[in-house]
């Protein structure tokens, strides 16, 4: 993982990129270190619930960009909350979820979140994935990054 600057390149849909499995727990920990000033400024905390053995076959820099945007979006949207990161794998693919337990209704439009996520959605699609946002009054917000058919170790 090199940086979280705006996504400066694109991968052609016909281009194949061979990658080593990315240790997801380690990547989340590295992202959390970079986001620590934002987290503490919002009086929140982040729990990395991803299994230490969980690995994803994906470009690490693109994956870091997508997950960094999901984390910063979850942190920016509320204050005084617990943000939990988890990953699950099933036959359809991998879901990486970033949840905050904020009891206040979070409107993606009023916070400008949808506009800021465009580049992250583009990057997610380049990995063969997609991002969904679920929020409900008094239930918090869940941001899900889904990678269809993505190979993981273990699954």
């Amino acid at each position: 993982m090199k940086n979280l600057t705006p996504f400066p390149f694109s991968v052609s849909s016909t281009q194949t990129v061979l990658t080593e499995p990315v240790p997801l727990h380690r990547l989340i920990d590295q992202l959390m270190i970079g986001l620590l000033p934002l987290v503490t400024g919002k009086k929140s905390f982040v729990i990395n619930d991803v299994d230490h053995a969980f690995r994803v076959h994906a470009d690490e820099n693109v994956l870091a960009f997508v997950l960094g945007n999901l984390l910063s979006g979850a942190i920016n949207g509320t204050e005084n909350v617990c943000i939990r990161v988890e990953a699950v794998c099933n036959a359809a693919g991998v879901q990486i979820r970033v949840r905050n337990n904020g009891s206040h209704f979070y409107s993606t439009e009023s916070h400008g979140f949808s506009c800021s996520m465009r580049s992250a959605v583009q990057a997610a699609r380049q990995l063969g994935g997609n991002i969904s946002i679920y929020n409900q009054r008094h239930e918090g917000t869940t941001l899900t990054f889904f990678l269809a058919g993505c190979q993981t170790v273990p699954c």
Side-chain angles (χ1 to χ4, degrees), residues 55-78:
R55 294 188 173 17
V56 177
H57 285 275
D59 182 287
E60 185 171 3
N61 290 321
V62 179
L63 187 60
F65 178 81
V66 172
L67 296 176
N69 275 281
L70 292 182
L71 280 165
S72 64
I75 295 164
N76 276 320
T78 55

Side-chain angles (χ1 to χ4, degrees), residues 30-128:
Q30 289 175 335
L31 291 169
M32 288 172 20
I33 290 169
L35 292 168
L36 194 56
L38 180 61
V39 172
T40 56
K42 293 288 191 166
K43 299 178 184 163
S44 297
F45 62 97
V46 180
I47 298 173
N48 185 353
D49 261 349
V50 176
D51 188 292
H52 285 275
F54 201 100
R55 294 188 173 17
V56 177
H57 285 275
D59 182 287
E60 185 171 3
N61 290 321
V62 179
L63 187 60
F65 178 81
V66 172
L67 296 176
N69 275 281
L70 292 182
L71 280 165
S72 64
I75 295 164
N76 276 320
T78 55
E79 290 186 357
N80 302 312
V81 297
C82 169
I83 297 163
R84 185 175 303 272
V85 182
E86 57 193 11
V88 294
C89 177
N90 58 35
V94 175
Q95 288 185 13
I96 303 169
R97 294 187 290 251
V98 178
R99 301 175 188 234
N100 79 38
N101 67 347
S103 60
H104 304 291
F105 183 70
Y106 178 84
S107 168
T108 56
E109 292 302 321
S110 67
H111 285 87
F113 189 70
S114 296
C115 294
S116 68
M117 286 298 288
R118 285 187 185 138
S119 57
V121 169
Q122 179 185 7
R125 288 182 179 157
Q126 288 177 346
L127 289 175

Side-chain angles (χ1 to χ4, degrees), residues 122-144:
Q122 179 185 7
R125 288 182 179 157
Q126 288 177 346
L127 289 175
N130 204 359
I131 295 173
S132 66
I133 302 170
Y134 172 80
N135 57 44
Q136 187 68 36
R137 188 179 304 272
H138 304 296
E139 288 185 25
T141 303
T142 301
L143 308 167
T144 303

